[in-house]
Amino acid sequence: MPSTTTATFPSFRDLIQDTDPDAVATPAQIPDGFLLARAGGIEAHYIPFDYVNRTARVVLVGISPGFVQWKNAVREARRQLALGASQDAVLRAAKYTGAFSGAIRPNLVALLDHVGLQRWLGIAGCASLFGDDAHLMHVTAVLRHPVFVDRKNYNGAAPNMLTTPLLQAQLLDHFAPEASLLPDAVYVPLGPKVGLALDWLARRGVLRPDRILHGIPHPSGTNAERIAYFLGRKDKAALSSRTNGAQIDADRLALRAKMAALGIG
């Protein structure tokens, strides 16, 4: 399998051109040539997500691309290659195909606007990060390449990425070099598992702790009640037992303090 030092697009270009993602129905059917690492039931596969927006001032960080994202990225890369696009254009298109589409985008925009990122960025609202102001945002994951556990999307819960050698290596070999290109950006972890991973990397000098904006709820539609409370759209007394309003309050206060220190507010 390719080593981590060759896990870049030129090493996979021919394989991508020869692979029809629509004929790949499950993670188990991903061609072996995409495999980056395997240990027991854990596998990491290459995705053409090499593109880094070096002008970005805010970085949105998820856990790992899933199988659907792998298919979409390979499909778009093949399409761009067939059109004769430059490598940079191929990779940018593959990276952002379907990024934060559907219900997740308005939730994300509302959360980012609520904490004042639009003022810090000097834009009218964070919706324009998906349009005219896209140069200010970079989207990535702490595990940049798709990770599957027992041939299913990795959800960050098990195994623990911070104590599992293969996943630690993915963090350090792929995310860390990407983060080194954006030392002055602020990082928004999408979910607590991502936040823990960013803190782990910060302790190793990969990121500055003061640039990690903890506390913003994950924008997934399944997180609707936490989002509504964070945004002030729902009273604490009306929260269900599944939502810890006191914890959200504490997270919000800590976030406001950190953002004030950065001049965001």
Side-chain angles (χ1 to χ4, degrees):
M1 71 186 70
S3 69
T4 54
T5 57
T6 59
T8 56
F9 180 72
S11 300
F12 292 86
R13 180 185 181 118
D14 291 346
L15 179 60
I16 287 170
Q17 287 181 307
D18 292 340
T19 299
D20 177 5
D22 294 323
V24 181
T26 68
Q29 295 176 3
I30 295 175
D32 289 344
F34 286 95
L35 187 66
L36 296 177
R38 176 188 286 142
I42 310 170
E43 295 179 346
H45 289 81
Y46 175 80
I47 193 171
F49 275 6
D50 306 36
Y51 175 79
V52 178
N53 177 12
R54 299 193 187 200
T55 64
R57 294 183 63 203
V58 58
V59 182
L60 306 179
V61 190
I63 291 176
S64 172
F67 177 59
V68 170
Q69 283 180 286
W70 180 88
K71 285 171 65 90
N72 289 342
V74 171
R75 183 184 298 112
E76 182 61 19
R78 293 180 85 226
R79 191 179 78 84
Q80 293 291 330
L81 287 168
L83 293 172
S86 68
Q87 177 173 301
D88 191 63
V90 170
L91 292 173
R92 191 182 190 288
K95 177 86 170 182
Y96 288 106
T97 296
F100 295 110
S101 57
I104 197 170
R105 185 177 296 185
N107 286 343
L108 178 60
V109 167
L111 290 165
L112 297 180
D113 281 346
H114 186 74
V115 301
L117 268 178
Q118 76 281 18
R119 294 190 293 276
W120 187 68
L121 293 170
I123 58 179
C126 289
S128 66
L129 292 173
F130 297 94
D132 292 343
D133 294 314
H135 63 285
L136 297 175
M137 179 179 71
H138 181 58
V139 178
T140 189
V142 284
L143 299 170
R144 193 172 87 179
H145 297 286
V147 169
F148 304 105
V149 179
D150 296 329
R151 305 294 173 87
K152 296 178 182 178
N153 290 342
Y154 175 63
N155 63 10
N160 185 333
M161 73 178 95
L162 305 183
T163 58
T164 303
L166 184 151
L167 300 181
Q168 288 179 335
Q170 292 294 305
L171 291 168
L172 294 170
D173 291 343
H174 301 292
F175 180 82
E178 187 173 345
S180 72
L181 300 174
L182 297 166
D184 298 320
V186 295
Y187 288 74
V188 179
L190 300 180
K193 298 295 185 184
V194 178
L196 290 172
L198 293 184
D199 285 343
W200 185 86
L201 289 161
R203 291 193 294 272
R204 284 153 181 79
V206 173
L207 297 170
R208 288 167 48 190
D210 64 321
R211 312 301 285 189
I212 305 171
L213 301 183
H214 292 290
I216 297 175
H218 194 288
S220 167
T222 61
N223 213 21
E225 187 174 60
R226 292 181 181 86
I227 293 169
Y229 182 65
F230 186 89
L231 295 174
R233 297 173 179 172
K234 190 167 189 175
D235 293 333
K236 183 182 286 188
L239 294 175
S240 71
S241 60
R242 297 186 303 275
T243 298
N244 186 337
Q247 184 61 57
I248 295 173
D249 289 341
D251 290 343
R252 188 191 292 112
L253 284 174
L255 176 61
R256 284 176 178 168
K258 179 169 282 190
M259 295 182 72
L262 289 171
I264 306 173

